[in-house]
Amino acid sequence: MLQDDCDIKTKFMTTSDLIIIGAGPGGYETAVEAAKAGLTVTLIEAKHLGGTCLNEGCIPTKCLAHSAEHLREEKDTLDLTKVVEHKNKIVKQLVDGIAMLMKTPGISLVEGEARFVDAHTIRVGNEEYQAKDLIIATGSVSKFLPIEGAHSAGVVTSTEILNLTTAPSRLCIIGGGVIGLEFASIFNQFGSEVTVVEFCKEVLPNLDKDMAKRLRLSLKKKGINILTDSGVKRIEHLENDVSKVVYENKGKEGIVEADVVLMAVGRTARTEIVEDNTIGITYGKRGIEVDENMQTSVPHIYAIGDVNGLCQLAHAATFQGRRALNHILGRKDNIRFDLIPSAVFTSPQLASVGLREEDVTEHKPLVYKSFYRANGRALSMDADEGFLKIVCNEEGRVLGVHIMGEQASELIHEATVLMNLGGTISQLGDIIHAHPTLSEMYRAAVS
C-alpha cells in the first residue's frame, strides 16, 4: 500500500501550455510575455531567479565596474567589503523584482532540477509537468582549460571573484576575452597588479581588430600586463598560497606568479538535460542546435540563450525567447539577429554592432572615423580617449559601428536603430544632434 502511495505521488501531473526550463533573462521574460498572451506557463529554475546574468555575471560585474570608475574619479580609498555589499544589494533588489513578476497570472514557478520523461513531460523531484510546447533556457557554465592545476586552490571563476573582499596584490587572468578584460580593468583600478594571458594573437578576437588593438594598448598604459599569443600549459599552487602560471610564447616558457588566478576562457552551454538522448534533441560542442525560430530537432521544443551557443549575451537570450514565443503563437516579427549590439565594460568602454571592417570581403569597405579628443563634451568630461568607427558598403549603407571610449555602451544604440532601418551615411549626416554631446561624433565622422 505504501508503495502504491509512492507511485501515485510520483505520477502527479501538472499541465500547462508552455514549459520553460531556466529563469534567466531569456526564460523569465519569455514566461511573462507568454502569460500576457494568454498562455499558462510552468517556469522551472534549479538555482536562482535571474540566472547567471543577474546573480553571477552582467549585473554584479557592472556594479564592481561602477565602483572602480568612482574610485578612479574620486580618488577614494578602496573598501571592497562595501563594494561587495552594494553589489549584493543591487542583485537582491532585481531578484525581488523578478519574484514579483512571477506572480503574473498564468505563471507557475517551480524550483528544482528538470529532467525529461518524454518529449512533452518534465520531472522535477517527484512531480511531473506536461505541456504542448517547451523552451530550454538552461544557460551556460564557466569553462576550464584541460590543463594540470586548472582546479587547484587559488584558481577562481568569474563567480567567485565577484565576492572577494580583499583585492589580491597580484592577479593573473587566463583569457583576454570580454570577461577577462572587464575584470582586468576593474582590479587594476582596485590596485591589483594584473597580468592577462591570452592564447590568440590579439585580445577580444571576435571584435573589430582595430578596436581590440587600441583597447589593449590603452589597458597596457594603465599598467595591465597583457601577454598575447601565449598558451597556458599548467598551474602550480605553491605552499605559500601563491599560484604559478606556466605559459608558452613562441616556443619559450614563461611564468606568472599570482595570489589569485582567474579562469576566464569563456563559457560552455549547459546541455546536460538533453545529453542522455531520451528525446533525440541534436546538440554539439557549441550547444543545442536550433533553426532561425529557435526550434530544435524536435519541433515543439525550443532552445534559447547561451544553451544554443549562437550568442552568449543576455539581451540575445531575451529576443531569442521572443522569436520562439512568436513562432509558437504563429506571429511574425522583424527581429534582426545579425544586429545584436555588444559592450565591453572596461575603462575605456568598447561597444560594437554589425560587421567588422575585416568581415567585408566582397569589396573594400568605406570607413569613417571621429575622435573623442575633437568632441567638446568629451573634453569637458576629461574623457578624450577613444574614437568612433563606421563601416559602410559602396552605396553608403551602414554595415557596422564600433566605439571605444566614454559611454560607448550607450552610444552604440543610435547605430543599432539606424542599421535596423537600413540607414545610410547620407541620412546620418542629415540627423540633427544636440550640442554639446558625445553623440555628435556620429555626424563628425561623416561630415
Side-chain angles (χ1 to χ4, degrees):
M1 188 67 178
L2 291 174
Q3 181 63 45
D4 290 342
D5 289 343
C6 182
D7 289 343
I8 290 172
K9 290 180 181 178
T10 301
K11 294 176 182 177
F12 178 79
M13 184 78 71
T14 298
T15 302
S16 56
D17 296 315
L18 176 64
I19 292 174
I20 302 175
I21 305 168
Y28 81 78
E29 292 196 37
T30 303
V32 172
E33 290 299 316
K36 288 179 179 179
L39 300 183
T40 54
V41 184
T42 300
L43 178 63
I44 303 171
E45 174 53 50
K47 198 172 182 182
H48 37 216
L49 290 172
T52 296
C53 174
L54 174 50
N55 294 276
E56 302 167 353
C58 320
I59 301 301
T61 305
K62 277 54 187 182
C63 288
L64 264 64
H66 173 74
S67 295
E69 280 294 308
H70 180 80
L71 187 72
R72 178 180 64 83
E73 293 171 0
E74 304 298 328
K75 294 181 172 60
D76 285 348
T77 302
L78 174 66
D79 186 339
L80 198 47
T81 299
K82 288 186 178 179
V83 171
V84 172
E85 287 175 354
H86 174 259
K87 179 262 296 181
N88 291 340
K89 178 183 176 182
I90 298 302
V91 170
K92 183 181 184 302
Q93 180 180 338
L94 292 171
V95 169
D96 289 346
I98 297 172
M100 290 299 296
L101 282 176
M102 294 304 96
K103 299 183 185 297
T104 300
I107 299 176
S108 298
L109 178 63
V110 177
E111 297 179 1
E113 197 75 34
R115 289 288 179 267
F116 274 99
V117 176
D118 58 45
H120 288 277
T121 310
I122 298 294
R123 178 177 291 135
V124 181
N126 290 327
E127 297 186 4
E128 293 185 354
Y129 302 85
Q130 194 172 77
K132 177 177 177 289
D133 296 292
L134 297 91
I135 297 176
I136 300 171
T138 47
S140 61
V141 294
S142 296
K143 282 183 182 177
F144 282 85
L145 289 179
I147 58 172
E148 178 186 344
H151 297 277
S152 62
V155 179
V156 301
T157 69
S158 57
T159 300
E160 292 83 34
I161 200 170
L162 286 167
N163 293 310
L164 294 182
T165 53
T166 303
S169 296
R170 298 171 298 178
L171 172 65
C172 179
I173 300 175
I174 303 175
V178 174
I179 296 172
L181 292 190
E182 286 187 350
F183 279 112
S185 185
I186 289 168
F187 278 89
N188 169 255
Q189 292 177 86
F190 283 170
S192 299
E193 179 185 312
V194 180
T195 299
V196 178
V197 185
E198 168 56 43
F199 179 77
C200 295
K201 293 182 179 180
E202 185 57 272
V203 298
L204 300 170
N206 295 323
L207 274 71
D208 183 89
K209 290 180 180 178
D210 191 13
M211 308 298 289
K213 177 183 177 180
R214 296 208 183 205
L215 180 62
R216 172 174 53 81
L217 295 174
S218 175
L219 295 178
K220 278 194 169 186
K221 286 182 181 178
K222 291 177 170 60
I224 298 172
N225 184 25
I226 300 178
L227 305 171
T228 55
D229 206 14
S230 300
V232 176
K233 312 304 289 184
R234 64 185 184 277
I235 302 170
E236 301 174 12
H237 187 68
L238 308 180
E239 292 182 357
N240 57 354
D241 280 338
V242 171
S243 293
K244 184 167 72 172
V245 178
V246 181
Y247 67 91
E248 184 178 299
N249 175 276
K250 297 178 181 177
K252 295 182 179 180
E253 192 172 274
I255 294 173
V256 178
E257 289 192 351
D259 304 291
V260 174
V261 177
L262 171 63
M263 187 69 70
V265 293
R267 299 182 64 82
T268 186
R270 289 192 60 199
T271 57
E272 298 98 325
I273 193 169
V274 300
E275 288 176 4
D276 61 3
N277 282 322
T278 301
I279 52 175
I281 289 180
T282 303
Y283 68 95
K285 289 182 179 180
R286 288 177 56 87
I288 296 174
E289 295 180 11
V290 296
D291 65 11
E292 68 278 4
N293 294 311
M294 308 302 143
Q295 283 179 293
T296 69
S297 53
V298 180
H300 70 277
I301 300 178
Y302 301 74
I304 65 171
D306 287 8
V307 74
N308 66 30
L310 295 179
C311 180
Q312 292 187 340
L313 294 171
H315 45 289
T318 296
F319 278 84
Q320 288 177 10
R322 182 170 295 181
R323 169 61 61 80
L325 179 61
N326 285 341
H327 191 257
I328 289 169
L329 296 173
R331 303 189 305 204
K332 297 291 185 180
D333 63 55
N334 295 306
I335 300 170
R336 291 279 304 272
F337 286 106
D338 59 327
L339 296 177
I340 301 176
S342 64
V344 186
F345 289 84
T346 46
S347 179
Q349 293 181 3
L350 194 153
S352 179
V353 65
L355 297 181
R356 304 173 300 175
E357 182 179 351
E358 54 267 30
D359 292 330
V360 184
T361 56
E362 67 272 15
H363 59 80
K364 184 175 177 58
L366 302 176
V367 177
Y368 301 82
K369 291 182 180 179
S370 62
F371 296 86
Y372 276 71
R373 64 176 179 266
N375 179 271
R377 177 59 177 149
L379 293 176
S380 73
M381 299 165 68
D382 291 326
D384 62 349
E385 181 182 17
F387 69 108
L388 180 148
K389 174 180 180 179
I390 303 174
V391 180
C392 302
N393 66 10
E394 293 171 315
E395 289 75 41
R397 186 166 62 87
V398 180
L399 303 177
V401 174
H402 311 275
I403 310 171
M404 187 187 89
E406 186 77 18
Q407 297 183 23
S409 58
E410 303 295 334
L411 292 171
I412 198 64
H413 295 99
E414 177 173 344
T416 306
V417 172
L418 183 72
M419 292 167 66
N420 267 275
L421 298 175
T424 64
I425 283 293
S426 175
Q427 291 172 322
L428 179 58
D430 288 339
I431 296 173
I432 300 173
H433 290 72
H435 176 76
T437 62
L438 296 176
S439 297
E440 288 180 286
M441 286 193 296
Y442 279 102
R443 281 202 67 253
V446 300
S447 297

